[in-house]
Amino acid sequence: MKRLTLSATVIVAGFGASHADAQAFKGTDVLEFVTINIIANCPAATGVTYLGGGSGIAENAMAATPPTQQIAPMTRKIKCALADVNPGSQGQVLGYDGVAMLTSSCSGEAAGSLCEAYSAASALGSYVWQGGTDSGVYPIACDKLRVLYFGRDHFNTDLAPGAPQHATSGCNSLLRNQLVNSWGKLFDGAQSPTCTQLNHAFRLDDVSGTTDTLRSVCGIPASFTFCNGTSTQDNDPIRRTASSASYDTARADGTLGLVLPVTVPRSTNTYSPGAPAADSCGAGGIASQAGTRCTAGVFIFGAVPGLGACPTGLPRLGGTCLIPAFRATATSTPDARCVNASSNKPAGSAPVSDGRTFNLFAHNADGSLITGFTSGYYRTHESRAVVGSGCKQTDTVQQLACLVRADQCSEGFAGREALNEPNILDVKLAPRAANGATPSSDCLAPEPASIAAGTYPLSRKLYLNTLKGFANVTGEEADLVACFQDEALVEAAMSANNFIPDPAVGIQTENFSAANCF
């Protein structure tokens, strides 16, 4: 069942507007609907609402001076540096989840047919896929993911023999180019006649708990940056042409990088007005109802981040840029909430520039940036799709899954709840199996049994965490803790959102320390 999508504005209005002492606390977006469910069934915590935002943001709120909250749903343990100075740190195990690797069923693959098995046939040149040599042992499934997202193999093929490990990025290495330019090298198992190379690898933002989990399981330290850069950048040296028939966003040169970050702002103006067309693999073409198109030749002055030239090369005027707008009639007030075409640019724009660069910024009607804007790559298929409808989800995980589905020959990582999205398939992953093993014996799906047992390589526990100890939590958050310790309530909420309830009998609480931390 597809999850209910709620914005933070609706949550506050629905639960906290009538309470003068209402407290909106932060936590992982992955557990947003679990937490909302528990709050709704916790009468004593009537003044508590949930804003989400990410595990890292929530952890910072608990560690602030003074703290702005006492508890937080998170997808990982407390960081070791905080556990060291907060000896009361604890976490209640809510259940389990797996970081799922996603592809689109619209590519023609059969369910369960694709796996990253690292067989001998998938080796590239002299490179042999391994389960870690540079930063300790990690699942063999991580080797391709490290190369794909970070350009980091276990000895960095860009460097001469004997050179220091990881002295330079391998994002444009021969190994990475060979991997992503051959669908058959990236995946083992049945192959699609449609896909010859990987189009994009979508990823969650830098503060996502799912990103933290991927780094932790795969031995990827914070100093290793994604090949695209930060959550606001598109710096991947491997470029893909943004076809005008398939993409709503592009750089000025008409391309997008292989790795793209997805962060959907929590705002009522996240997208242009208009409902997406029906979801179907066979629809094809442009989903005409998915977004309001900017009117050709209509521009207003609006906000664009940065200090340099405007998106198509024009200078700024008073710090603002001319941006495209929609005008219903000749006398209507222009509205900047629209999707621009590649050819629609202000007069004087650089000859080699693309009007879709304006879509990388989400505006209010008056041209101001929407609240919480980070980057606009989440709009890549707002009104267009290689197959099916445009993507206009208000939840980041759901939008990432929609982009993978629409972008046909692409991949992405997200929490297991992303598998609820239509036409999404999971990619099976290899644990620490011997090279050369067949895909059927080498790969595991993110299924409940393998995740709860820890055999699925990208599995994780989900927690309700505190830095001060649950016995010391006060106020309405203490009332909420009591509801989180209602085992039947938590298990029902976890199951309803496609998570795996803790199979242990009773509430399991972990004390975080130097020996048990993130």
Side-chain angles (χ1 to χ4, degrees), residues 151-200:
R152 302 285 185 171
D153 58 46
H154 52 255
F155 54 70
N156 200 327
T157 54
D158 271 356
L159 303 180
Q165 293 180 9
H166 304 314
T168 185
S169 172
C171 288
N172 204 23
S173 67
L174 176 62
L175 175 67
R176 186 168 185 258
N177 275 274
Q178 288 178 327
L179 177 66
V180 303
N181 288 332
S182 173
W183 190 260
K185 295 295 185 183
L186 186 63
F187 299 112
D188 292 287
Q191 296 301 313
S192 165
T194 304
C195 301
T196 58
Q197 65 179 18
L198 186 69
N199 204 29
H200 292 295

mmCIF file of all heavy atoms in Angstrom, residues 151-200:
data_model
loop_
_atom_site.group_PDB
_atom_site.id
_atom_site.type_symbol
_atom_site.label_atom_id
_atom_site.label_comp_id
_atom_site.label_asym_id
_atom_site.label_seq_id
_atom_site.Cartn_x
_atom_site.Cartn_y
_atom_site.Cartn_z
ATOM 1 N N GLY A 151 33.447 6.965 -6.236
ATOM 2 C CA GLY A 151 34.672 6.839 -7.008
ATOM 3 C C GLY A 151 35.807 6.248 -6.194
ATOM 4 O O GLY A 151 36.976 6.551 -6.442
ATOM 5 N N ARG A 152 35.496 5.397 -5.212
ATOM 6 C CA ARG A 152 36.499 4.864 -4.290
ATOM 7 C C ARG A 152 36.506 3.343 -4.326
ATOM 8 O O ARG A 152 35.629 2.699 -3.781
ATOM 9 C CB ARG A 152 36.208 5.323 -2.859
ATOM 10 C CG ARG A 152 36.166 6.819 -2.701
ATOM 11 C CD ARG A 152 37.554 7.421 -2.731
ATOM 12 N NE ARG A 152 37.510 8.843 -2.468
ATOM 13 C CZ ARG A 152 38.567 9.613 -2.268
ATOM 14 N NH1 ARG A 152 39.772 9.091 -2.290
ATOM 15 N NH2 ARG A 152 38.434 10.897 -2.036
ATOM 16 N N ASP A 153 37.493 2.746 -5.008
ATOM 17 C CA ASP A 153 37.630 1.302 -4.947
ATOM 18 C C ASP A 153 38.598 0.946 -3.825
ATOM 19 O O ASP A 153 39.032 1.817 -3.074
ATOM 20 C CB ASP A 153 38.109 0.734 -6.290
ATOM 21 C CG ASP A 153 39.433 1.318 -6.729
ATOM 22 O OD1 ASP A 153 40.359 1.400 -5.893
ATOM 23 O OD2 ASP A 153 39.569 1.687 -7.909
ATOM 24 N N HIS A 154 38.926 -0.346 -3.695
ATOM 25 C CA HIS A 154 39.734 -0.727 -2.544
ATOM 26 C C HIS A 154 41.225 -0.515 -2.727
ATOM 27 O O HIS A 154 41.989 -0.789 -1.819
ATOM 28 C CB HIS A 154 39.446 -2.185 -2.133
ATOM 29 C CG HIS A 154 39.554 -3.177 -3.249
ATOM 30 N ND1 HIS A 154 38.454 -3.740 -3.831
ATOM 31 C CD2 HIS A 154 40.622 -3.702 -3.877
ATOM 32 C CE1 HIS A 154 38.841 -4.581 -4.767
ATOM 33 N NE2 HIS A 154 40.143 -4.576 -4.819
ATOM 34 N N PHE A 155 41.655 -0.022 -3.905
ATOM 35 C CA PHE A 155 43.037 0.451 -3.986
ATOM 36 C C PHE A 155 43.201 1.582 -4.982
ATOM 37 O O PHE A 155 44.318 1.987 -5.289
ATOM 38 C CB PHE A 155 44.008 -0.696 -4.323
ATOM 39 C CG PHE A 155 43.668 -1.491 -5.549
ATOM 40 C CD1 PHE A 155 43.779 -0.973 -6.827
ATOM 41 C CD2 PHE A 155 43.236 -2.800 -5.397
ATOM 42 C CE1 PHE A 155 43.474 -1.720 -7.939
ATOM 43 C CE2 PHE A 155 42.924 -3.563 -6.519
ATOM 44 C CZ PHE A 155 43.039 -3.039 -7.792
ATOM 45 N N ASN A 156 42.104 2.111 -5.493
ATOM 46 C CA ASN A 156 42.072 3.284 -6.363
ATOM 47 C C ASN A 156 42.892 3.088 -7.626
ATOM 48 O O ASN A 156 44.093 3.323 -7.668
ATOM 49 C CB ASN A 156 42.545 4.540 -5.619
ATOM 50 C CG ASN A 156 42.054 5.802 -6.339
ATOM 51 O OD1 ASN A 156 41.928 5.824 -7.561
ATOM 52 N ND2 ASN A 156 41.748 6.829 -5.577
ATOM 53 N N THR A 157 42.235 2.683 -8.687
ATOM 54 C CA THR A 157 42.914 2.361 -9.934
ATOM 55 C C THR A 157 43.473 3.575 -10.658
ATOM 56 O O THR A 157 44.207 3.418 -11.626
ATOM 57 C CB THR A 157 41.945 1.628 -10.881
ATOM 58 O OG1 THR A 157 40.761 2.418 -11.048
ATOM 59 C CG2 THR A 157 41.560 0.278 -10.321
ATOM 60 N N ASP A 158 43.132 4.778 -10.233
ATOM 61 C CA ASP A 158 43.700 5.971 -10.873
ATOM 62 C C ASP A 158 45.169 6.169 -10.524
ATOM 63 O O ASP A 158 45.873 6.906 -11.194
ATOM 64 C CB ASP A 158 42.942 7.226 -10.427
ATOM 65 C CG ASP A 158 41.754 7.520 -11.334
ATOM 66 O OD1 ASP A 158 41.580 6.804 -12.329
ATOM 67 O OD2 ASP A 158 41.017 8.461 -11.028
ATOM 68 N N LEU A 159 45.641 5.556 -9.462
ATOM 69 C CA LEU A 159 46.970 5.845 -8.942
ATOM 70 C C LEU A 159 48.002 4.839 -9.411
ATOM 71 O O LEU A 159 47.691 3.679 -9.690
ATOM 72 C CB LEU A 159 46.942 5.855 -7.412
ATOM 73 C CG LEU A 159 45.947 6.842 -6.790
ATOM 74 C CD1 LEU A 159 46.012 6.744 -5.283
ATOM 75 C CD2 LEU A 159 46.232 8.259 -7.248
ATOM 76 N N ALA A 160 49.247 5.291 -9.505
ATOM 77 C CA ALA A 160 50.336 4.407 -9.880
ATOM 78 C C ALA A 160 50.591 3.398 -8.769
ATOM 79 O O ALA A 160 50.288 3.655 -7.604
ATOM 80 C CB ALA A 160 51.602 5.230 -10.129
ATOM 81 N N PRO A 161 51.137 2.221 -9.109
ATOM 82 C CA PRO A 161 51.433 1.216 -8.070
ATOM 83 C C PRO A 161 52.298 1.807 -6.955
ATOM 84 O O PRO A 161 53.266 2.526 -7.217
ATOM 85 C CB PRO A 161 52.184 0.131 -8.844
ATOM 86 C CG PRO A 161 51.697 0.282 -10.252
ATOM 87 C CD PRO A 161 51.479 1.749 -10.453
ATOM 88 N N GLY A 162 51.920 1.549 -5.734
ATOM 89 C CA GLY A 162 52.680 2.031 -4.585
ATOM 90 C C GLY A 162 52.285 3.408 -4.111
ATOM 91 O O GLY A 162 52.756 3.870 -3.077
ATOM 92 N N ALA A 163 51.414 4.113 -4.848
ATOM 93 C CA ALA A 163 50.982 5.450 -4.431
ATOM 94 C C ALA A 163 50.046 5.338 -3.229
ATOM 95 O O ALA A 163 49.418 4.309 -3.020
ATOM 96 C CB ALA A 163 50.273 6.158 -5.578
ATOM 97 N N PRO A 164 49.957 6.396 -2.396
ATOM 98 C CA PRO A 164 49.072 6.354 -1.219
ATOM 99 C C PRO A 164 47.629 6.065 -1.631
ATOM 100 O O PRO A 164 47.158 6.548 -2.667
ATOM 101 C CB PRO A 164 49.207 7.762 -0.631
ATOM 102 C CG PRO A 164 50.500 8.268 -1.151
ATOM 103 C CD PRO A 164 50.684 7.667 -2.507
ATOM 104 N N GLN A 165 46.956 5.265 -0.849
ATOM 105 C CA GLN A 165 45.575 4.923 -1.156
ATOM 106 C C GLN A 165 44.677 6.158 -1.074
ATOM 107 O O GLN A 165 44.797 6.962 -0.157
ATOM 108 C CB GLN A 165 45.065 3.865 -0.178
ATOM 109 C CG GLN A 165 45.763 2.522 -0.342
ATOM 110 C CD GLN A 165 45.232 1.506 0.655
ATOM 111 O OE1 GLN A 165 44.256 1.750 1.344
ATOM 112 N NE2 GLN A 165 45.891 0.355 0.729
ATOM 113 N N HIS A 166 43.803 6.308 -2.039
ATOM 114 C CA HIS A 166 42.795 7.369 -2.056
ATOM 115 C C HIS A 166 43.408 8.772 -1.971
ATOM 116 O O HIS A 166 42.859 9.658 -1.343
ATOM 117 C CB HIS A 166 41.789 7.174 -0.912
ATOM 118 C CG HIS A 166 41.127 5.841 -0.941
ATOM 119 N ND1 HIS A 166 40.612 5.289 -2.087
ATOM 120 C CD2 HIS A 166 40.914 4.925 0.030
ATOM 121 C CE1 HIS A 166 40.096 4.104 -1.813
ATOM 122 N NE2 HIS A 166 40.277 3.859 -0.540
ATOM 123 N N ALA A 167 44.548 8.961 -2.611
ATOM 124 C CA ALA A 167 45.150 10.293 -2.612
ATOM 125 C C ALA A 167 44.378 11.239 -3.526
ATOM 126 O O ALA A 167 44.501 12.450 -3.421
ATOM 127 C CB ALA A 167 46.607 10.210 -3.049
ATOM 128 N N THR A 168 43.597 10.705 -4.434
ATOM 129 C CA THR A 168 42.815 11.539 -5.331
ATOM 130 C C THR A 168 41.505 10.827 -5.648
ATOM 131 O O THR A 168 41.393 9.619 -5.480
ATOM 132 C CB THR A 168 43.581 11.833 -6.640
ATOM 133 O OG1 THR A 168 42.826 12.747 -7.424
ATOM 134 C CG2 THR A 168 43.824 10.562 -7.433
ATOM 135 N N SER A 169 40.509 11.556 -6.083
ATOM 136 C CA SER A 169 39.213 10.966 -6.383
ATOM 137 C C SER A 169 39.285 10.089 -7.619
ATOM 138 O O SER A 169 40.044 10.366 -8.552
ATOM 139 C CB SER A 169 38.181 12.079 -6.602
ATOM 140 O OG SER A 169 36.968 11.547 -7.080
ATOM 141 N N GLY A 170 38.494 9.031 -7.624
ATOM 142 C CA GLY A 170 38.403 8.179 -8.798
ATOM 143 C C GLY A 170 37.088 8.341 -9.522
ATOM 144 O O GLY A 170 36.637 7.413 -10.189
ATOM 145 N N CYS A 171 36.421 9.483 -9.394
ATOM 146 C CA CYS A 171 35.100 9.654 -9.986
ATOM 147 C C CYS A 171 35.127 9.623 -11.507
ATOM 148 O O CYS A 171 34.099 9.347 -12.133
ATOM 149 C CB CYS A 171 34.466 10.960 -9.497
ATOM 150 S SG CYS A 171 33.937 10.895 -7.763
ATOM 151 N N ASN A 172 36.271 9.901 -12.100
ATOM 152 C CA ASN A 172 36.387 9.805 -13.553
ATOM 153 C C ASN A 172 37.361 8.705 -13.946
ATOM 154 O O ASN A 172 37.939 8.735 -15.029
ATOM 155 C CB ASN A 172 36.830 11.139 -14.152
ATOM 156 C CG ASN A 172 36.410 11.290 -15.609
ATOM 157 O OD1 ASN A 172 35.455 10.648 -16.063
ATOM 158 N ND2 ASN A 172 37.128 12.105 -16.354
ATOM 159 N N SER A 173 37.546 7.738 -13.060
ATOM 160 C CA SER A 173 38.488 6.652 -13.323
ATOM 161 C C SER A 173 37.992 5.750 -14.447
ATOM 162 O O SER A 173 36.789 5.693 -14.746
ATOM 163 C CB SER A 173 38.700 5.814 -12.060
ATOM 164 O OG SER A 173 37.509 5.130 -11.727
ATOM 165 N N LEU A 174 38.926 5.034 -15.052
ATOM 166 C CA LEU A 174 38.566 4.074 -16.081
ATOM 167 C C LEU A 174 37.622 3.024 -15.513
ATOM 168 O O LEU A 174 36.642 2.624 -16.162
ATOM 169 C CB LEU A 174 39.826 3.414 -16.642
ATOM 170 C CG LEU A 174 39.599 2.300 -17.679
ATOM 171 C CD1 LEU A 174 38.902 2.844 -18.914
ATOM 172 C CD2 LEU A 174 40.930 1.643 -18.055
ATOM 173 N N LEU A 175 37.891 2.579 -14.293
ATOM 174 C CA LEU A 175 37.047 1.572 -13.655
ATOM 175 C C LEU A 175 35.612 2.056 -13.538
ATOM 176 O O LEU A 175 34.662 1.346 -13.900
ATOM 177 C CB LEU A 175 37.602 1.229 -12.274
ATOM 178 C CG LEU A 175 36.743 0.273 -11.430
ATOM 179 C CD1 LEU A 175 36.704 -1.105 -12.053
ATOM 180 C CD2 LEU A 175 37.251 0.198 -10.000
ATOM 181 N N ARG A 176 35.418 3.279 -13.032
ATOM 182 C CA ARG A 176 34.063 3.789 -12.830
ATOM 183 C C ARG A 176 33.355 3.991 -14.174
ATOM 184 O O ARG A 176 32.170 3.671 -14.320
ATOM 185 C CB ARG A 176 34.094 5.094 -12.045
ATOM 186 C CG ARG A 176 32.707 5.625 -11.667
ATOM 187 C CD ARG A 176 32.793 6.752 -10.656
ATOM 188 N NE ARG A 176 31.477 7.175 -10.225
ATOM 189 C CZ ARG A 176 30.854 8.276 -10.655
ATOM 190 N NH1 ARG A 176 31.442 9.067 -11.540
ATOM 191 N NH2 ARG A 176 29.654 8.580 -10.203
ATOM 192 N N ASN A 177 34.066 4.510 -15.165
ATOM 193 C CA ASN A 177 33.467 4.689 -16.482
ATOM 194 C C ASN A 177 33.046 3.359 -17.087
ATOM 195 O O ASN A 177 31.956 3.230 -17.663
ATOM 196 C CB ASN A 177 34.430 5.424 -17.418
ATOM 197 C CG ASN A 177 34.361 6.932 -17.281
ATOM 198 O OD1 ASN A 177 33.535 7.579 -17.911
ATOM 199 N ND2 ASN A 177 35.218 7.486 -16.426
ATOM 200 N N GLN A 178 33.911 2.338 -16.960
ATOM 201 C CA GLN A 178 33.560 1.030 -17.495
ATOM 202 C C GLN A 178 32.359 0.438 -16.773
ATOM 203 O O GLN A 178 31.494 -0.187 -17.390
ATOM 204 C CB GLN A 178 34.756 0.088 -17.377
ATOM 205 C CG GLN A 178 35.891 0.401 -18.334
ATOM 206 C CD GLN A 178 37.069 -0.537 -18.133
ATOM 207 O OE1 GLN A 178 37.347 -0.971 -17.019
ATOM 208 N NE2 GLN A 178 37.767 -0.840 -19.214
ATOM 209 N N LEU A 179 32.297 0.641 -15.468
ATOM 210 C CA LEU A 179 31.204 0.083 -14.669
ATOM 211 C C LEU A 179 29.872 0.683 -15.074
ATOM 212 O O LEU A 179 28.905 -0.033 -15.357
ATOM 213 C CB LEU A 179 31.474 0.319 -13.188
ATOM 214 C CG LEU A 179 30.387 -0.137 -12.211
ATOM 215 C CD1 LEU A 179 30.248 -1.658 -12.230
ATOM 216 C CD2 LEU A 179 30.679 0.364 -10.798
ATOM 217 N N VAL A 180 29.773 2.011 -15.104
ATOM 218 C CA VAL A 180 28.476 2.660 -15.312
ATOM 219 C C VAL A 180 28.076 2.722 -16.777
ATOM 220 O O VAL A 180 26.908 2.952 -17.086
ATOM 221 C CB VAL A 180 28.464 4.080 -14.705
ATOM 222 C CG1 VAL A 180 28.793 4.016 -13.217
ATOM 223 C CG2 VAL A 180 29.425 5.010 -15.436
ATOM 224 N N ASN A 181 29.027 2.525 -17.678
ATOM 225 C CA ASN A 181 28.699 2.557 -19.108
ATOM 226 C C ASN A 181 28.320 1.195 -19.651
ATOM 227 O O ASN A 181 28.128 1.037 -20.861
ATOM 228 C CB ASN A 181 29.855 3.150 -19.908
ATOM 229 C CG ASN A 181 29.990 4.644 -19.681
ATOM 230 O OD1 ASN A 181 29.021 5.329 -19.378
ATOM 231 N ND2 ASN A 181 31.199 5.158 -19.815
ATOM 232 N N SER A 182 28.228 0.196 -18.776
ATOM 233 C CA SER A 182 27.813 -1.136 -19.193
ATOM 234 C C SER A 182 26.808 -1.680 -18.185
ATOM 235 O O SER A 182 27.174 -2.027 -17.061
ATOM 236 C CB SER A 182 29.020 -2.081 -19.292
ATOM 237 O OG SER A 182 28.598 -3.404 -19.533
ATOM 238 N N TRP A 183 25.539 -1.725 -18.584
ATOM 239 C CA TRP A 183 24.489 -2.262 -17.716
ATOM 240 C C TRP A 183 24.834 -3.679 -17.282
ATOM 241 O O TRP A 183 24.596 -4.072 -16.146
ATOM 242 C CB TRP A 183 23.167 -2.226 -18.479
ATOM 243 C CG TRP A 183 21.935 -2.510 -17.678
ATOM 244 C CD1 TRP A 183 21.255 -3.693 -17.629
ATOM 245 C CD2 TRP A 183 21.214 -1.598 -16.843
ATOM 246 N NE1 TRP A 183 20.148 -3.573 -16.816
ATOM 247 C CE2 TRP A 183 20.097 -2.286 -16.319
ATOM 248 C CE3 TRP A 183 21.396 -0.260 -16.490
ATOM 249 C CZ2 TRP A 183 19.173 -1.704 -15.469
ATOM 250 C CZ3 TRP A 183 20.476 0.334 -15.646
ATOM 251 C CH2 TRP A 183 19.385 -0.374 -15.136
ATOM 252 N N GLY A 184 25.424 -4.453 -18.176
ATOM 253 C CA GLY A 184 25.775 -5.823 -17.873
ATOM 254 C C GLY A 184 26.918 -5.966 -16.902
ATOM 255 O O GLY A 184 27.068 -7.013 -16.263
ATOM 256 N N LYS A 185 27.778 -4.954 -16.774
ATOM 257 C CA LYS A 185 28.847 -4.986 -15.778
ATOM 258 C C LYS A 185 28.340 -4.553 -14.409
ATOM 259 O O LYS A 185 28.849 -4.983 -13.380
ATOM 260 C CB LYS A 185 30.004 -4.068 -16.207
ATOM 261 C CG LYS A 185 30.730 -4.507 -17.464
ATOM 262 C CD LYS A 185 31.447 -5.835 -17.268
ATOM 263 C CE LYS A 185 32.274 -6.203 -18.490
ATOM 264 N NZ LYS A 185 32.924 -7.531 -18.345
ATOM 265 N N LEU A 186 27.340 -3.681 -14.409
ATOM 266 C CA LEU A 186 26.804 -3.189 -13.142
ATOM 267 C C LEU A 186 25.922 -4.234 -12.478
ATOM 268 O O LEU A 186 25.954 -4.403 -11.255
ATOM 269 C CB LEU A 186 26.007 -1.910 -13.386
ATOM 270 C CG LEU A 186 25.480 -1.177 -12.160
ATOM 271 C CD1 LEU A 186 26.631 -0.697 -11.284
ATOM 272 C CD2 LEU A 186 24.621 0.014 -12.588
ATOM 273 N N PHE A 187 25.147 -4.948 -13.276
ATOM 274 C CA PHE A 187 24.212 -5.937 -12.741
ATOM 275 C C PHE A 187 24.487 -7.319 -13.320
ATOM 276 O O PHE A 187 24.787 -7.458 -14.506
ATOM 277 C CB PHE A 187 22.764 -5.566 -13.083
ATOM 278 C CG PHE A 187 22.322 -4.252 -12.530
ATOM 279 C CD1 PHE A 187 22.052 -3.188 -13.366
ATOM 280 C CD2 PHE A 187 22.178 -4.072 -11.165
ATOM 281 C CE1 PHE A 187 21.634 -1.965 -12.861
ATOM 282 C CE2 PHE A 187 21.766 -2.859 -10.648
ATOM 283 C CZ PHE A 187 21.498 -1.799 -11.494
ATOM 284 N N ASP A 188 24.344 -8.333 -12.483
ATOM 285 C CA ASP A 188 24.313 -9.716 -12.939
ATOM 286 C C ASP A 188 22.859 -10.152 -13.017
ATOM 287 O O ASP A 188 21.962 -9.498 -12.489
ATOM 288 C CB ASP A 188 25.063 -10.623 -11.957
ATOM 289 C CG ASP A 188 26.561 -10.336 -11.966
ATOM 290 O OD1 ASP A 188 27.210 -10.716 -12.950
ATOM 291 O OD2 ASP A 188 27.044 -9.720 -11.006
ATOM 292 N N GLY A 189 22.615 -11.273 -13.672
ATOM 293 C CA GLY A 189 21.262 -11.768 -13.807
ATOM 294 C C GLY A 189 20.695 -11.437 -15.169
ATOM 295 O O GLY A 189 21.427 -11.082 -16.095
ATOM 296 N N ALA A 190 19.387 -11.551 -15.310
ATOM 297 C CA ALA A 190 18.735 -11.287 -16.585
ATOM 298 C C ALA A 190 18.965 -9.836 -16.994
ATOM 299 O O ALA A 190 18.930 -8.934 -16.169
ATOM 300 C CB ALA A 190 17.243 -11.582 -16.483
ATOM 301 N N GLN A 191 19.203 -9.614 -18.282
ATOM 302 C CA GLN A 191 19.509 -8.276 -18.750
ATOM 303 C C GLN A 191 18.394 -7.711 -19.610
ATOM 304 O O GLN A 191 17.764 -8.427 -20.388
ATOM 305 C CB GLN A 191 20.819 -8.287 -19.538
ATOM 306 C CG GLN A 191 22.034 -8.676 -18.698
ATOM 307 C CD GLN A 191 22.238 -7.716 -17.523
ATOM 308 O OE1 GLN A 191 22.184 -6.510 -17.694
ATOM 309 N NE2 GLN A 191 22.460 -8.258 -16.346
ATOM 310 N N SER A 192 18.148 -6.425 -19.451
ATOM 311 C CA SER A 192 17.115 -5.742 -20.214
ATOM 312 C C SER A 192 17.618 -5.419 -21.611
ATOM 313 O O SER A 192 18.744 -4.966 -21.776
ATOM 314 C CB SER A 192 16.731 -4.440 -19.502
ATOM 315 O OG SER A 192 15.993 -3.615 -20.384
ATOM 316 N N PRO A 193 16.782 -5.596 -22.619
ATOM 317 C CA PRO A 193 17.192 -5.179 -23.959
ATOM 318 C C PRO A 193 17.142 -3.659 -24.124
ATOM 319 O O PRO A 193 17.625 -3.128 -25.104
ATOM 320 C CB PRO A 193 16.149 -5.864 -24.860
ATOM 321 C CG PRO A 193 14.929 -5.970 -23.989
ATOM 322 C CD PRO A 193 15.464 -6.233 -22.604
ATOM 323 N N THR A 194 16.541 -2.972 -23.155
ATOM 324 C CA THR A 194 16.373 -1.518 -23.249
ATOM 325 C C THR A 194 17.597 -0.763 -22.753
ATOM 326 O O THR A 194 18.039 0.219 -23.366
ATOM 327 C CB THR A 194 15.150 -1.080 -22.430
ATOM 328 O OG1 THR A 194 14.012 -1.788 -22.885
ATOM 329 C CG2 THR A 194 14.915 0.417 -22.557
ATOM 330 N N CYS A 195 18.177 -1.179 -21.626
ATOM 331 C CA CYS A 195 19.239 -0.416 -20.971
ATOM 332 C C CYS A 195 20.620 -0.925 -21.369
ATOM 333 O O CYS A 195 20.910 -2.115 -21.231
ATOM 334 C CB CYS A 195 19.083 -0.496 -19.453
ATOM 335 S SG CYS A 195 17.500 0.135 -18.858
ATOM 336 N N THR A 196 21.451 -0.019 -21.843
ATOM 337 C CA THR A 196 22.831 -0.368 -22.179
ATOM 338 C C THR A 196 23.821 0.222 -21.187
ATOM 339 O O THR A 196 24.921 -0.290 -21.039
ATOM 340 C CB THR A 196 23.183 0.129 -23.586
ATOM 341 O OG1 THR A 196 22.995 1.550 -23.651
ATOM 342 C CG2 THR A 196 22.287 -0.548 -24.622
ATOM 343 N N GLN A 197 23.425 1.299 -20.509
ATOM 344 C CA GLN A 197 24.287 1.915 -19.515
ATOM 345 C C GLN A 197 23.432 2.498 -18.403
ATOM 346 O O GLN A 197 22.215 2.621 -18.536
ATOM 347 C CB GLN A 197 25.146 3.025 -20.140
ATOM 348 C CG GLN A 197 24.345 4.213 -20.646
ATOM 349 C CD GLN A 197 25.209 5.313 -21.232
ATOM 350 O OE1 GLN A 197 26.368 5.100 -21.570
ATOM 351 N NE2 GLN A 197 24.648 6.513 -21.351
ATOM 352 N N LEU A 198 24.066 2.848 -17.298
ATOM 353 C CA LEU A 198 23.364 3.492 -16.189
ATOM 354 C C LEU A 198 23.172 4.960 -16.515
ATOM 355 O O LEU A 198 24.128 5.663 -16.851
ATOM 356 C CB LEU A 198 24.159 3.337 -14.894
ATOM 357 C CG LEU A 198 23.475 3.844 -13.624
ATOM 358 C CD1 LEU A 198 22.295 2.954 -13.260
ATOM 359 C CD2 LEU A 198 24.458 3.908 -12.465
ATOM 360 N N ASN A 199 21.935 5.421 -16.415
ATOM 361 C CA ASN A 199 21.649 6.806 -16.742
ATOM 362 C C ASN A 199 21.965 7.726 -15.568
ATOM 363 O O ASN A 199 22.713 8.693 -15.709
ATOM 364 C CB ASN A 199 20.182 6.945 -17.156
ATOM 365 C CG ASN A 199 19.929 8.145 -18.036
ATOM 366 O OD1 ASN A 199 20.810 8.571 -18.768
ATOM 367 N ND2 ASN A 199 18.726 8.671 -17.990
ATOM 368 N N HIS A 200 21.383 7.426 -14.392
ATOM 369 C CA HIS A 200 21.648 8.215 -13.193
ATOM 370 C C HIS A 200 21.655 7.313 -11.969
ATOM 371 O O HIS A 200 21.018 6.253 -11.956
ATOM 372 C CB HIS A 200 20.598 9.314 -12.999
ATOM 373 C CG HIS A 200 20.651 10.392 -14.032
ATOM 374 N ND1 HIS A 200 21.725 11.247 -14.172
ATOM 375 C CD2 HIS A 200 19.765 10.735 -14.997
ATOM 376 C CE1 HIS A 200 21.494 12.077 -15.175
ATOM 377 N NE2 HIS A 200 20.319 11.791 -15.693
#
